Amino acid sequence: MDDQGCPRCKTTKYRNPSLKLMVNVCGHTLCESCVELLFLKGSGSCPECNVALRRSNFRVQLFEDSNVDKEVQIRKRILKDFNKKEDDFATLGEYNDYLELIEELVFNLCNNIDIINTNKRIEQYKKENRDTILKNKTKLSKDELELEQLIEIEKEQTDQRKKELAMIEAENRKQKAKNKEDLIDSLMESYEDASAIVDKFAHRAEQQQIPLPKPMAPPAPKQTHFSTGIKFQSQHGFLPVPKIEEGPTYVYEAQIYPKEGPAQPTLADIDTKGYIKHIRSETQAERAGGFRTNISCLRAIQEALVGLYHGC
């Protein structure tokens, strides 16, 4: 980060830690002082690439690489109009093609590839899909409005709880001071045991103390899916349940391999016909790990005779 600096005045973050770098649509950075000097009239050209820029489009650089800031802004601009969802497409393939189109446009604008034709494609898309774009923007604004309402409700609940806690704490302090005065008066006037008087007042103070209220549960978010994952809409009814095509039930059939030689022994033959007679038995630790001497012997025989079988 210390190597970051303004390419015009050569000031770096190392020499001036409070240096504020600004970036525009072209992706080149300038410090705030140079922006003030070069764009006094509100517009000018970038000293790096001579692209016409507006002063109002400069923003604080958030990432170490200015190209990342450039891509973030381009994506925001593209996705503002390319706001279709998966539900707007008939098939998953069409939706994937749509996502590839967005990535292609972003890549071209980020790397200055065919800028003119890319902007023409964007304008053409905006004209052809104007109604869909407006509908999705309205849908998004409704979701944002619901979120703001939930935040406002939660804020009101928090403020109300703070007021209740402040009133309860004030009442408890007042009661505590009164109990303290009564205790002193009782100790001065009564002939009873002092420890008994203190215990009695402590018990009474514990009973008179107002308990703090439990925190209120946050408002439940608006449900948009059933427990099965199916979306539902409040205005246009339910979406149809997706149909799953089920094929025939799978039936296992053992494969038969033709061979040119003797049949391979079975696992029972390995145990009874002396195949493991001269092989060390497995230990308890090896058996616990899943190792078996007879199975390993059978695998070794199968590998030795593998050339005699077809399809293995």
Side-chain angles (χ1 to χ4, degrees):
M1 292 290 291
D2 292 340
D3 296 336
Q4 285 186 286
C6 176
R8 181 177 178 274
C9 64
K10 308 302 180 184
T11 304
T12 63
K13 287 273 190 180
Y14 178 77
R15 290 187 292 176
N16 184 10
S18 61
L19 180 69
K20 184 183 294 185
L21 294 175
M22 314 289 285
V23 65
N24 210 310
V25 292
C26 64
H28 296 121
T29 57
L30 285 173
C31 67
E32 189 175 20
S33 300
C34 291
V35 171
E36 297 290 339
L37 291 174
L38 294 177
F39 296 90
L40 289 174
K41 297 181 179 180
S43 62
S45 59
C46 175
E48 294 283 329
C49 59
N50 293 324
V51 174
L53 302 174
R54 291 184 176 275
R55 180 179 176 182
S56 58
N57 291 335
F58 275 97
R59 58 199 175 277
V60 178
Q61 181 178 344
L62 300 177
F63 300 92
E64 184 175 355
D65 187 356
S66 60
N67 290 324
V68 178
D69 288 89
K70 179 181 178 181
E71 181 178 349
V72 168
Q73 294 301 320
I74 290 174
R75 284 188 181 276
K76 286 183 179 179
R77 181 166 65 90
I78 294 293
L79 295 177
K80 186 177 181 181
D81 297 315
F82 286 75
N83 55 7
K84 288 185 178 180
K85 306 297 181 183
E86 186 176 354
D87 299 337
D88 298 326
F89 297 90
T91 63
L92 181 61
E94 294 179 359
Y95 179 61
N96 290 333
D97 294 338
Y98 172 76
L99 296 179
E100 290 182 2
L101 172 62
I102 294 176
E103 293 300 323
E104 180 184 354
L105 297 175
V106 172
F107 179 82
N108 290 346
L109 294 177
C110 289
N111 296 277
N112 299 324
I113 300 174
D114 201 8
I115 299 294
I116 297 177
N117 290 330
T118 301
N119 287 324
K120 287 183 179 179
R121 292 170 64 185
I122 295 174
E123 294 299 326
Q124 183 67 24
Y125 172 85
K126 291 167 65 175
K127 291 180 181 178
E128 294 175 353
N129 300 271
R130 182 175 301 171
D131 296 337
T132 305
I133 293 172
L134 292 176
K135 183 182 71 173
N136 288 337
K137 284 183 177 179
T138 305
K139 187 187 303 182
L140 182 63
S141 62
K142 289 182 179 179
D143 295 340
E144 292 177 349
L145 181 61
E146 291 177 358
L147 182 60
E148 290 180 357
Q149 290 176 351
L150 290 176
I151 294 174
E152 187 65 27
I153 292 173
E154 189 173 353
K155 184 178 178 181
E156 291 178 359
Q157 291 178 351
T158 304
D159 295 340
Q160 182 67 23
R161 175 173 169 78
K162 287 182 178 179
K163 291 179 181 178
E164 292 178 359
L165 290 177
M167 293 176 61
I168 292 173
E169 290 177 356
E171 188 66 25
N172 286 336
R173 285 196 298 268
K174 186 187 298 183
Q175 189 66 36
K176 187 177 180 181
K178 182 180 179 182
N179 291 337
K180 186 177 180 180
E181 293 177 358
D182 294 342
L183 174 62
I184 294 173
D185 293 340
S186 298
L187 290 173
M188 293 176 62
E189 299 173 357
S190 177
Y191 295 99
E192 297 181 10
D193 185 24
S195 59
I197 297 175
V198 171
D199 293 340
K200 182 176 67 174
F201 271 87
H203 180 67
R204 189 176 71 177
E206 185 176 353
Q207 291 180 341
Q208 292 178 346
Q209 186 175 7
I210 304 175
L212 297 178
K214 295 182 179 180
M216 292 177 289
K222 186 178 180 181
Q223 296 293 332
T224 58
H225 292 72
F226 289 107
S227 60
T228 56
I230 302 174
K231 297 180 180 179
F232 62 86
Q233 298 174 346
S234 58
Q235 297 179 351
H236 305 291
F238 301 110
L239 293 176
V241 178
K243 296 182 180 180
I244 302 176
E245 297 181 1
E246 296 183 357
T249 306
Y250 174 76
V251 178
Y252 173 74
E253 295 180 359
Q255 291 183 326
I256 301 175
Y257 299 110
K259 54 184 178 297
E260 296 178 358
Q264 64 180 9
T266 63
L267 193 59
D269 295 336
I270 295 294
D271 293 329
T272 59
K273 294 185 178 181
Y275 284 93
I276 58 175
K277 183 178 180 181
H278 302 287
I279 300 177
R280 177 181 64 84
S281 299
E282 70 274 6
T283 63
Q284 291 184 354
E286 292 172 341
R287 179 180 289 272
F291 176 79
R292 297 290 187 276
T293 302
N294 54 356
I295 297 177
S296 300
C297 180
L298 178 62
R299 295 284 188 269
I301 295 174
Q302 290 174 345
E303 293 178 3
L305 302 177
V306 70
L308 300 178
Y309 309 105
H310 300 285
C312 295

